[in-house]
Amino acid sequence: MATQESSRFLLIINCIILAIGNCGGPLITRLYFLKGGERIWLSSWLETVGWPIVLIPLSFSYFNRRREFQGKMLSPIDNNNDNNNNNTKLILMTPRIFVASIGIGVLTGFDNYLYAYGVAKLPVSTSALLIASQLAFTAGFAFLLVKQKFTSYSINSIFLLTLGAVVLALHANGDRPNGESKKEYVLGFIMTLGAAALYGLILPLIELLYKKAKQGVTYTLVMEIQAVYCLFSTVVCTIGMIINKDFQAMSREAKSFELGEARYYVVIIWSAILWQCFFLGAIGVIYYSSSLVSGILITVLLPVTEILGIVFYGEKFTPEKGVSLVLSIWGFISYLYGDIKSSKKKKENQSQEQEMIDKITCTP
């Protein structure tokens, strides 16, 4: 029971981290482009370049394992040398997981570029509604890759959230920024949809990696996986930056940034931090729940991002956005109710099974 309560608490913590990154990341990325930023590969690079932040909790985890190992060494009772050796390893992941994480990292690098291109060309509210479609892709790929089971509540939730995105799309034609050609706007649409589809594949791939790990999956291992795939995503974007000569352009861009040179670098740093919150929260939610839950949470937070875009950037709040917000909240409540009902039923079944075992054991 304590373990379930602990897992639920950690799931909530990861949901909060994901919410911060999911809402803050797009807003600060859009701020970069609105105030004079033009480098799409740089914006892509910022989404994962903050991966060294994960090394801080990984270091704490390692030293904690070392301390526990030293305590066990002093105890004459504990003779499990294999378990002790595993606990004192600096890196827990196997070569198999390392290679799989590299593949996910390469996909993430290209997904970052597609998303950054969309944010550069579209208002936050429009890009958010298109990203909402990733839930449908996540559900489809989760069914194919990890055999995700659907209930009437989860299907209803997916339908409502997707419907919210469709309703929101009805106002999209009036959102084209001033001075932007129709061709660029349409390309931004296509790129953002591509980013949604690709990320809809990445979430179930991460869950599949956990299931096929062939070793105990701990949260420390989850953070190691994130560090590796974010590192190689950054490598992909770094190559793009080198080819596009973005590193040389940064100093010139900083000087012409509307908010000032110093604030240019503040925006850059906070962009890296907020996006790392998104990735850490997303894989944490997958670990403590599933890729579908992660996808649903990302989708339900999109109207929040839209409202923040309206507040900070003066985007219009249309009736379609209001309807979308209601549908998204309804969809989230539907899934949450179904999850609570399913957990309650599971506990009742386990209790009945235990009673049957007790009766059989007590029968002479």
Side-chain angles (χ1 to χ4, degrees):
M1 187 71 178
T3 303
Q4 285 184 342
E5 289 177 356
S6 175
S7 296
R8 190 172 290 274
F9 173 74
L10 291 170
L11 174 61
I12 292 170
I13 294 297
N14 279 279
C15 287
I16 293 170
I17 294 171
L18 174 58
I20 293 169
N22 193 67
C23 296
L27 288 170
I28 200 162
T29 300
R30 185 59 182 165
L31 178 66
Y32 164 77
F33 288 112
L34 285 174
K35 300 303 179 182
E38 297 178 347
R39 320 306 295 191
I40 294 173
W41 274 115
L42 170 60
S43 182
S44 310
W45 183 73
L46 290 173
E47 291 179 33
T48 50
V49 74
W51 69 267
I53 294 171
V54 182
L55 297 179
I56 298 172
L58 280 175
S59 299
F60 280 116
S61 176
Y62 172 72
F63 287 119
N64 185 53
R65 296 199 310 273
R66 287 287 300 177
R67 187 170 60 252
E68 288 179 355
F69 169 72
Q70 290 169 357
K72 288 179 180 179
M73 287 293 291
L74 296 174
S75 172
I77 299 174
D78 191 2
N79 294 316
N80 193 344
N81 292 326
D82 290 338
N83 187 55
N84 288 340
N85 288 335
N86 287 334
N87 285 338
T88 55
K89 284 182 179 179
L90 181 61
I91 299 173
L92 298 181
M93 70 165 51
T94 61
R96 172 192 176 95
I97 294 177
F98 180 74
V99 172
S101 300
I102 291 174
I104 292 173
V106 172
L107 289 177
T108 303
F110 289 111
D111 184 62
N112 289 351
Y113 178 80
L114 293 175
Y115 178 77
Y117 192 98
V119 173
K121 304 300 179 183
L122 306 176
V124 172
S125 56
T126 306
S127 62
L129 73 90
L130 291 173
I131 288 296
S133 65
Q134 64 87 24
L135 179 61
F137 293 109
T138 300
F141 286 122
F143 176 76
L144 293 173
L145 296 175
V146 296
K147 311 302 180 186
Q148 175 71 51
K149 293 180 180 179
F150 292 101
T151 65
S152 58
Y153 297 102
S154 61
I155 293 171
N156 183 55
S157 175
I158 293 167
F159 173 75
L160 289 170
L161 290 168
T162 305
L163 182 62
V166 172
V167 170
L168 198 57
L170 296 176
H171 83 287
N173 288 332
D175 269 3
R176 180 148 53 101
N178 294 329
E180 187 171 293
S181 68
K182 186 175 180 180
K183 181 181 178 181
E184 288 179 324
Y185 188 72
V186 170
L187 190 56
F189 254 79
I190 295 170
M191 291 289 207
T192 307
L193 282 173
L198 189 52
Y199 198 67
L201 171 63
I202 289 170
L203 289 177
L205 281 177
I206 294 172
E207 186 176 356
L208 182 65
L209 176 59
Y210 294 164
K211 291 180 180 292
K212 302 290 185 180
K214 292 186 177 180
Q215 70 177 94
V217 179
T218 63
Y219 195 63
T220 299
L221 179 62
V222 168
M223 287 190 291
E224 287 183 2
I225 292 170
Q226 184 195 348
V228 172
Y229 88 72
C230 284
L231 167 62
F232 281 90
S233 171
T234 304
V235 169
V236 170
C237 295
T238 300
I239 294 170
M241 286 183 69
I242 292 170
I243 294 172
N244 203 44
K245 298 181 180 179
D246 282 5
F247 286 109
Q248 297 93 315
M250 282 181 70
S251 59
R252 297 194 304 270
E253 193 171 70
K255 291 176 182 177
S256 61
F257 198 62
E258 289 181 24
L259 298 178
E261 187 172 356
R263 289 182 180 176
Y264 173 85
Y265 292 106
V266 170
V267 168
I268 293 293
I269 292 168
W270 272 105
S271 181
I273 293 171
L274 288 170
W275 279 116
Q276 203 54 215
C277 288
F278 170 80
F279 285 108
L280 181 60
I283 66 166
V285 172
I286 294 171
Y287 173 68
Y288 288 109
S289 187
S290 69
S291 57
L292 184 59
V293 173
S294 184
I296 287 173
L297 185 59
I298 290 169
T299 303
V300 82
L301 287 168
L302 292 175
V304 179
T305 306
E306 293 174 62
I307 291 172
L308 292 173
I310 291 165
V311 172
F312 291 112
Y313 303 142
E315 295 179 5
K316 295 179 182 179
F317 187 80
T318 61
E320 291 87 352
K321 290 183 180 180
V323 173
S324 176
L325 179 60
V326 171
L327 289 171
S328 296
I329 294 172
W330 184 8
F332 179 71
I333 292 172
S334 174
Y335 183 85
L336 185 63
Y337 177 76
D339 183 60
I340 293 170
K341 192 172 181 179
S342 177
S343 298
K344 187 178 179 180
K345 187 176 180 181
K346 188 176 179 181
K347 286 180 183 179
E348 288 175 355
N349 291 337
Q350 288 175 345
S351 178
Q352 290 174 358
E353 288 175 4
Q354 187 61 45
E355 286 178 6
M356 290 292 293
I357 292 170
D358 291 342
K359 286 180 181 179
I360 293 169
T361 305
C362 295
T363 302

